[in-house]
């Protein structure tokens, strides 16, 4: 059966992912942003209840929330500059959803989100999505003005320097994955990887591109080159939760 992990991520996410990402963002957004007196997020004292469909949904929900956090100042400035925010019909409790969905919209180059047949629709997500998409031209123009204003070649310019340095260090680290031994054995994982063109090496110092090593101390842990992170997450082994990203 063909997996749809890559397809979903290129065209947006299921409504449940946006809801969970908004709940996560509501609890982690910084209140020291440049626009703290203009953008209001409501009460974040309560611990949100989240229901993740599977491990992939959990991962992309957190990824979306933290991407929105990285670019919070930029996203808020886009909303204010375009006059998309404030809006009387959008209560403060939905501002987090507005921000995470705006990050995703600009990440898709302001293209329309695809709705999948098996997706369970959420009214708030549909409303915010339609609202943002209807103002896509103004939002894209606001983003362009921000880039001109700050002489930014890309939105990466807006990531705080301390976070950017931390991400650079993290991105260079090898990728570690646990083998879910309740579903598959080490031997079967190795067989699957070899069929996909991967070569086993003795240690990380021997890494080339499509290579991997078995951890010397934990034999149910595999280590891969950092450059393969995105490709790995699209393997059936990950979609089926037979390999779990550390």
């Amino acid at each position: 059966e063909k997996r749809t992990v890559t397809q979903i991520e290129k065209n947006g996410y299921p409504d449940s992912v946006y809801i969970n990402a908004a709940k996560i963002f509501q609890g982690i957004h910084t209140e020291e942003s440049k626009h703290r007196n203009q953008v209001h997020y409501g009460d974040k004292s309560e611990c949100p209840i989240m229901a993740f469909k599977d491990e992939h949904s959990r991962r992309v929900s957190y990824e979306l929330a933290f991407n929105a956090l990285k670019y919070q100042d930029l996203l808020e400035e886009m909303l204010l500059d375009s006059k998309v925010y404030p809006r009387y019909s959008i209560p403060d409790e939905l501002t987090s959803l507005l921000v995470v969905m705006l990050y995703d919209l600009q990440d898709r180059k302001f293209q329309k989100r695809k709705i999948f047949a098996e997706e369970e629709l959420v009214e708030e997500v549909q409303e915010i999505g339609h609202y943002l998409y209807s103002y896509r031209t103004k939002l894209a123009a606001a983003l362009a003005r921000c880039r001109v204003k700050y002489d930014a070649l890309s939105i990466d310019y807006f990531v705080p320097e301390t976070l950017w340095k931390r991400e650079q260090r993290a991105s260079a680290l090898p990728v570690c994955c646990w083998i879910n031994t309740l579903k598959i054995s080490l031997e079967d994982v190795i067989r699957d990887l070899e069929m996909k063109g991967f070569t086993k090496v003795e240690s990380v110092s021997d890494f080339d591109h499509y290579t991997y090593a078995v951890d010397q101390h934990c034999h149910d842990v595999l280590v891969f080159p950092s450059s393969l992170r995105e490709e790995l997450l699209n393997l059936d082994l990950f979609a089926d939760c037979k390999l779990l990203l550390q």
Side-chain angles (χ1 to χ4, degrees), residues 3 55-56 177-190 192-193 196 220-222 224 232-233 235-245:
R3 299 288 180 254
E55 185 59 33
H56 173 71
C177 305
W178 290 94
I179 298 172
N180 184 353
T181 53
L182 295 176
K183 289 192 170 186
I184 196 169
S185 66
L186 170 63
E187 291 74 20
D188 286 339
V189 170
I190 290 176
D192 191 295
L193 289 172
K196 290 180 170 60
D220 56 352
V221 173
L222 301 182
F224 297 85
L232 289 171
L233 293 173
L235 293 178
D236 288 351
L237 288 169
F238 281 89
D240 294 332
C241 295
K242 294 176 180 178
L243 275 183
L244 305 173
L245 185 66

Side-chain angles (χ1 to χ4, degrees), residues 25 29-41 68-69 71-77 80:
F25 182 81
H29 71 266
T30 176
E31 297 188 355
E32 299 303 318
S33 72
K34 293 189 298 184
H35 312 287
R36 62 183 178 275
N37 294 324
Q38 299 168 275
V39 180
H40 305 285
Y41 291 93
L69 179 65
Y71 299 103
Q72 180 180 334
D73 280 344
L74 171 63
L75 297 170
E76 290 177 352
E77 189 159 341
L80 293 168

